[in-house]
Amino acid sequence: MPKGKTTPSDSNHPGRDSLQWNDEMDQMLLNALGEEANKGNRHDGAWTTQAYNNMVEALRSTIGPNITKNHIKNRMKTLKNHFAEAYDLFHSLSGFSWNSITRKFDAEDDVWEELIKGKPHAARWRKMQIKHYDILTELFATDRAKGNVAKTAKERRKQWEKENIDLNNYFEDTEMYVPNVGMFDENQFSPPNFEDASPQNGQTNPSGLNTSRGTKRKRNVVELVEDQYERMNESIMTIAEALKEGNSVSKELHQVAERQVEVAERQVAVIEKQVEIAEKQVTVIQQTRPRHYSESDVWDLLEELRVTDPFRMKVYNHLCDNEHKKRKLFGVPPHMRGEALIQMMTDAGIFC
């Protein structure tokens, strides 16, 4: 057996969901619960399926390989019930404090006597221990602060068992308890006790026979229904986790698409810049490259300058035969080309 592993006691083999817990095992369970709470595997007081899987794996490595989810749930219910009684009694009282050494609530004698005078059932807490109260407070105090919603299934069943429902009064005087289903966790949802809703509350047992066997059978039915509700709640939590994971994937895809759009926009900007540079380069090339002027360009220019017929042909032939003078004339601004042509032709002896 590995060193440090706690061996669960299963003497007399009471059943596969039964386990005798000790103080060390409780500490390991509470540590696992705290770790899962810190991971965010608890929503509105309900532990997720992933939380239970993680706890089973952790406790199997420290307590023993036979630990199951039901062991954890049953022990957690027991710890919560014990804590709930102490918390509901002491958390709002002044003068009391939990002693981590003695694991009891400490107070002055007169404070105890005043409490016991108003609540006689509190007397037993003067000597009774409650272990790990500090850790239990961190884990479950918020649930208790929610009032009736924080009640466990066992507590709520006890409440219903105290209610006397008479099926012959047409429910006119019956106070109906309507729970807020949306705020229940998987350890809190419980249907009413079928025994109280049975006809035996409306009429007596004529034979006077012992009905303990029937009562036990009805309680087993209640426990079965509770288990079904817990399974349904776990399925809902699984679906919620899947939806949450799907939303996360959708968000990641949306972020990827946004990054792709940003990259595409940057690429478009680069292409536009390259086009702008290319257009400037074409302009520079066009400006620096010598232009070729055709004979028709020369003739159109002479008509534009209204050179008369006796001289038009001579000027045309002179410019077409002299490429340098032709480019020189076209290089002059349009409004000065007439004056430049007269000077050029006068120098050539065409205009006298």
Side-chain angles (χ1 to χ4, degrees), residues 29-246:
L29 172 59
L30 293 175
N31 291 341
L33 289 170
E35 183 175 352
E36 293 307 311
N38 293 334
K39 291 180 180 178
N41 291 333
R42 187 188 191 191
H43 305 294
D44 295 329
W47 300 95
T48 65
T49 302
Q50 185 62 47
Y52 281 113
N53 293 339
N54 293 343
M55 288 188 287
V56 168
E57 182 178 358
L59 295 181
R60 282 180 177 176
S61 65
T62 56
I63 295 179
N66 297 325
I67 292 293
T68 65
K69 177 181 177 181
N70 283 338
H71 289 143
I72 295 174
K73 293 173 68 175
N74 291 339
R75 186 56 179 174
M76 186 165 55
K77 287 181 181 180
T78 300
L79 293 175
K80 286 180 67 176
N81 290 339
H82 194 49
F83 164 76
E85 183 180 355
Y87 181 83
D88 292 348
L89 179 61
F90 292 104
H91 82 281
S92 60
L93 298 180
S94 59
F96 288 89
S97 63
W98 182 74
N99 189 322
S100 60
I101 304 300
T102 62
R103 298 177 176 180
K104 299 178 182 179
F105 284 95
D106 289 342
E108 298 295 336
D109 290 341
D110 57 339
V111 176
W112 270 111
E113 292 173 0
E114 183 178 356
L115 174 62
I116 296 173
K117 182 179 179 180
K119 299 179 179 179
H121 64 279
R124 67 193 190 98
W125 284 102
R126 201 165 186 175
K127 297 181 179 180
M128 187 170 64
Q129 288 184 334
I130 176 169
K131 302 175 182 178
H132 316 293
Y133 184 78
D134 50 346
I135 303 177
L136 291 169
T137 300
E138 294 180 4
L139 289 172
F140 304 121
T142 302
D143 295 343
R144 299 305 304 174
K146 294 179 182 178
N148 289 335
V149 176
K151 292 183 179 180
T152 63
K154 183 177 180 180
E155 291 174 315
R156 193 167 292 110
R157 188 167 68 247
K158 287 183 177 179
Q159 175 184 350
W160 281 322
E161 289 175 350
K162 294 178 181 179
E163 296 177 356
N164 184 21
I165 301 176
D166 187 356
L167 299 182
N168 296 322
N169 65 2
Y170 303 99
F171 299 97
E172 293 177 357
D173 299 325
T174 303
E175 180 181 358
M176 299 301 293
Y177 176 76
V178 182
N180 185 351
V181 179
M183 300 180 64
F184 285 144
D185 65 25
E186 60 180 323
N187 295 322
Q188 296 171 345
F189 202 112
S190 174
N193 192 311
F194 292 128
E195 179 183 2
D196 290 338
S198 64
Q200 64 179 339
N201 285 321
Q203 62 185 37
T204 59
N205 185 352
S207 60
L209 296 178
N210 189 345
T211 59
S212 60
R213 181 176 300 178
T215 302
K216 182 177 181 181
R217 186 181 300 111
K218 292 184 179 64
R219 290 185 182 274
N220 289 338
V221 172
V222 171
E223 293 174 357
L224 177 62
V225 173
E226 286 181 359
D227 184 65
Q228 293 299 322
Y229 274 121
E230 291 178 356
R231 292 177 184 272
M232 180 180 64
N233 190 67
E234 291 175 7
S235 300
I236 293 174
M237 293 300 299
T238 301
I239 295 173
E241 290 176 6
L243 292 175
K244 182 179 179 181
E245 183 178 354

Side-chain angles (χ1 to χ4, degrees), residues 281-309:
Q281 290 176 343
V282 170
T283 302
V284 171
I285 292 172
Q286 289 177 346
Q287 291 175 351
T288 58
R289 184 180 63 184
R291 182 177 177 182
H292 175 72
Y293 296 98
S294 65
E295 289 78 1
S296 61
D297 292 334
V298 175
W299 187 263
D300 291 338
L301 178 60
L302 295 178
E303 285 187 343
E304 181 181 345
L305 296 176
R306 298 180 180 180
V307 178
T308 59
D309 289 339

